[in-house]
Amino acid sequence: MHRKAGGTAGKARLSLALPALARPRNLAATSVEELLRGCREGRESAWEEFLRRYGDLIYSTIRRRAGLTRAEDREDAFQNAVLSIYKNLADLRDFDKIVPWMVRIAYTQGIDTLRMRKKLQETPIDDLSESSLNEVRRIEDPAPPAEEMYLALERAQAARQALSRLPERCRLLIRLLFYEDPPLDYAEVARRAALPIGSIGPTRARCLEKMRRILADASAVVSERLPVASGQQKDQTGTAGTTRRGGRHE
Amino acid sequence: MKPHPRDEQLLEYSEGESRTDEARERIESHLAGGCPACRSKIEGFRTALALLAAGPLEKMPDRAREAAMDALREAGAIRAVSRSRTTSRIVATAREALERVPMALRLDTGTLAVIPGTRSQAAASMQPRRLLFEASRGSLHLQIDRGARGRVDLSGQFLPSEGEFGGETGQVFLERGGRARRAVLAETGEFRFPSVPAQGVRLRIEWRDVALLVGPLDLGTAAASPSGGSDPE
């Protein structure tokens, strides 16, 4: 994964300056309410939709936890996180906060799995009595994730939801322009998107304009000025800008 | 007021990438003249760009999703589908109309003898277990791969005796402890059930006018149980 937020202690310290950061809110709080009602009623289709919408977020939270390198451990943690979300659904009152709520649950499950993995590596399987399992649970928590990690996940989720409402052509173009690592030049983007190279710029602007409208319509993001944060750059006006990606690089 | 800058120009300005100083100054002059619409657009572009700068989320693997759905079923989070009486009656009648054909076990690599203590024995324990079932209407190749946490991945291919599918599909039910998972047969006759608990199961392949029955089959043992399929016909 080419982007990791809050992965170092140095970055974690930057989180002290974060209260001013814009926190994306859920794109469709009312439909979240309906979705969770379906989940509470035990509808299979609701759970399928729940995982379609939030599965990548839960999995990404677990994956970005240092230490969970084994795919089986990540899948274990993922399964436990989903079960934990199910068991705690009644506690979620503010549907606008479903994303940070789930991120925290997934993070906790990632840590629990990491602890179990460490203990299992040190203990013969026969010795794993209930008391030793309790001991595993008492292992000191690693440092909590930086606020930046939460924010990066929430932003990625908000982008994902906005992108899901764009036409396929725009989704493809935005993925090629913003999500490829290393970044592609316009010639390669044009080739993969089957577009003339001269139309990449205008099409990109049209797609970003559609995304902007989706975000505005859904009141997806607190409409305060975007902050200066790690990885963001001062733009020409001296106000906070964004990390440049997908811009002109012909 | 001067005409509004184009979206492309506003986007480039939002990114700090105006093509020329002149282009940037034109936008700044336009904004200084008071244009809330363009100012709002620039803010919106910056918001969208900030969200995209967070990068994509990693994709959850299919097997993780399947395992989570299974875990939700086992935890009682998902209730059994309740159909209307009419729908249930129609479905039941249609299923009863299918000719039930048991499939016979012809080969189970789990039963092949390997000399104890040899490297082949260790190698054999790592190999997927393959089974072949046959009936007059077709054959079924089944592969059982060991997964994590006592689960297995079950995949297979149903080949009708009349030849290729030719685009026809059917469905497969994996029945376990009163619950069933369903998979659609691909055009090649292939199907897959990832992350299945290594327990006793039955398979039911519904294709055309037949229901081909396999099992009971113990996924947790090295070999199929003797009752892994009765002789058809």
Side-chain angles (χ1 to χ4, degrees):
Chain A
M1 181 56 201
H2 57 282
R3 288 180 191 79
K4 286 183 180 173
T8 66
K11 282 187 177 177
R13 280 195 292 276
L14 289 173
S15 69
L16 294 173
L18 285 178
L21 279 173
R23 184 176 286 281
R25 291 164 53 209
N26 200 282
L27 282 173
T30 52
S31 67
V32 168
E33 191 174 356
E34 285 166 18
L35 177 65
L36 295 187
R37 191 182 306 126
C39 291
R40 285 187 187 125
E41 287 168 0
R43 292 212 307 267
E44 184 163 5
S45 58
W47 278 109
E48 279 170 354
E49 168 63 14
F50 178 88
L51 289 181
R52 192 191 64 76
R53 202 181 290 187
Y54 299 116
D56 291 350
L57 172 72
I58 296 166
Y59 188 75
S60 296
T61 306
I62 289 162
R63 186 166 178 129
R64 291 180 193 193
R65 276 301 308 146
L68 278 180
T69 51
R70 289 162 43 111
E72 291 130 40
D73 290 341
R74 291 197 294 269
E75 288 171 21
D76 256 346
F78 178 82
Q79 189 174 313
N80 290 336
V82 173
L83 282 177
S84 184
I85 286 165
Y86 157 61
K87 285 172 187 161
N88 291 289
L89 266 184
D91 297 340
L92 180 65
R93 308 266 180 230
D94 185 350
F95 298 114
D96 256 2
K97 294 189 176 152
I98 184 170
V99 170
W101 180 74
M102 279 192 299
V103 167
R104 277 177 172 78
I105 287 178
Y107 168 73
T108 304
Q109 291 301 331
I111 294 300
D112 281 353
T113 306
L114 186 62
R115 283 190 210 148
M116 294 296 288
R117 168 59 49 201
K118 280 183 180 167
K119 187 66 184 176
L120 282 169
Q121 282 167 349
E122 293 161 6
T123 313
I125 198 78
D126 293 345
D127 294 347
L128 274 178
S129 60
E130 186 55 32
S131 61
S132 65
L133 288 173
N134 286 334
E135 190 186 328
V136 173
R137 294 178 190 118
R138 281 197 297 272
I139 292 175
E140 191 181 351
D141 271 341
E147 180 70 11
E148 274 180 65
M149 179 186 127
Y150 286 115
L151 194 72
L153 286 162
E154 288 175 42
R155 285 182 169 188
Q157 174 70 11
R160 184 183 184 282
Q161 288 183 236
L163 288 178
S164 72
R165 295 170 61 186
L166 286 176
E168 176 53 36
R169 193 165 116 141
C170 281
R171 278 206 298 272
L172 173 64
L173 186 65
I174 287 178
R175 281 193 198 113
L176 292 172
L177 286 168
F178 291 91
Y179 285 169
E180 286 293 325
D181 187 31
L184 305 175
D185 61 25
Y186 268 22
E188 182 59 17
V189 171
R191 192 185 68 76
R192 294 200 199 177
L195 287 170
I197 193 165
S199 72
I200 298 288
T203 311
R204 169 177 169 275
R206 275 197 297 278
C207 293
L208 264 293
E209 167 60 9
K210 282 179 181 155
M211 183 174 175
R212 184 193 70 78
R213 282 174 187 269
I214 288 169
L215 292 168
D217 288 351
S219 303
V221 177
V222 178
S223 60
E224 60 196 58
R225 206 170 68 179
L226 279 168
V228 178
S230 169
Q232 293 183 329
Q233 304 166 0
K234 292 272 184 183
D235 69 11
Q236 296 148 322
T237 62
T239 58
T242 56
T243 302
R244 281 181 282 181
R245 191 80 204 269
R248 284 185 299 110
H249 40 98
E250 300 96 314
Chain B
M1 182 185 283
K2 289 178 184 172
H4 296 290
R6 286 184 288 113
D7 283 349
E8 194 178 353
Q9 292 168 325
L10 288 175
L11 177 58
E12 286 169 0
Y13 178 82
S14 307
E15 296 170 294
E17 287 201 354
S18 291
R19 289 174 191 240
T20 60
D21 286 346
E22 194 187 12
R24 174 176 55 80
E25 282 161 11
R26 264 204 309 273
I27 291 176
E28 283 173 356
S29 156
H30 179 76
L31 294 175
C35 181
C38 285
R39 197 170 285 282
S40 165
K41 264 194 181 181
I42 289 169
E43 271 186 16
F45 280 141
R46 285 183 179 150
T47 298
L49 291 164
L51 299 187
L52 292 170
L57 294 170
E58 291 87 350
K59 188 157 171 47
M60 131 192 82
D62 285 348
R63 51 183 294 145
R65 182 178 50 77
E66 291 280 354
M69 286 298 287
D70 260 2
L72 287 168
R73 281 186 200 99
E74 282 166 22
I78 295 173
R79 289 183 193 155
V81 178
S82 58
R83 295 189 178 100
S84 73
R85 278 186 190 173
T86 311
T87 310
S88 298
R89 202 165 48 240
I90 291 167
V91 171
T93 307
R95 295 190 73 180
E96 279 166 19
L98 296 176
E99 182 191 356
R100 293 162 60 87
V101 180
M103 299 195 88
L105 177 66
R106 298 300 189 203
L107 173 72
D108 181 353
T109 59
T111 62
L112 298 178
V114 180
I115 299 168
T118 61
R119 290 176 68 183
S120 300
Q121 187 186 30
S125 68
M126 303 299 290
Q127 295 297 316
R129 178 180 159 202
R130 294 191 172 87
L131 301 99
L132 172 64
F133 294 88
E134 283 183 342
S136 60
R137 300 295 299 272
S139 60
L140 170 69
H141 298 250
L142 211 56
Q143 179 168 318
I144 303 169
D145 291 273
R146 288 185 188 183
R149 307 177 301 277
R151 288 173 174 266
V152 298
D153 291 333
L154 195 63
S155 55
Q157 185 175 26
F158 170 67
L159 296 169
S161 50
E162 288 110 288
E164 294 295 314
F165 261 89
E168 248 177 304
T169 61
Q171 53 186 349
V172 188
F173 293 90
L174 176 78
E175 296 166 347
R176 177 174 60 85
R179 285 192 290 268
R181 277 168 69 177
R182 176 178 168 273
V184 175
L185 280 181
E187 289 181 6
T188 54
E190 290 170 301
F191 62 90
R192 187 164 176 263
F193 290 104
S195 197
V196 179
Q199 298 170 355
V201 297
R202 288 175 187 272
L203 284 170
R204 176 186 167 101
I205 300 167
E206 293 185 354
W207 180 73
R208 288 192 179 170
D209 57 344
V210 289
L212 295 135
L213 310 174
V214 173
L217 178 63
D218 189 347
L219 301 177
T221 60
S225 65
S227 58
S230 56
D231 232 49
E233 291 89 41

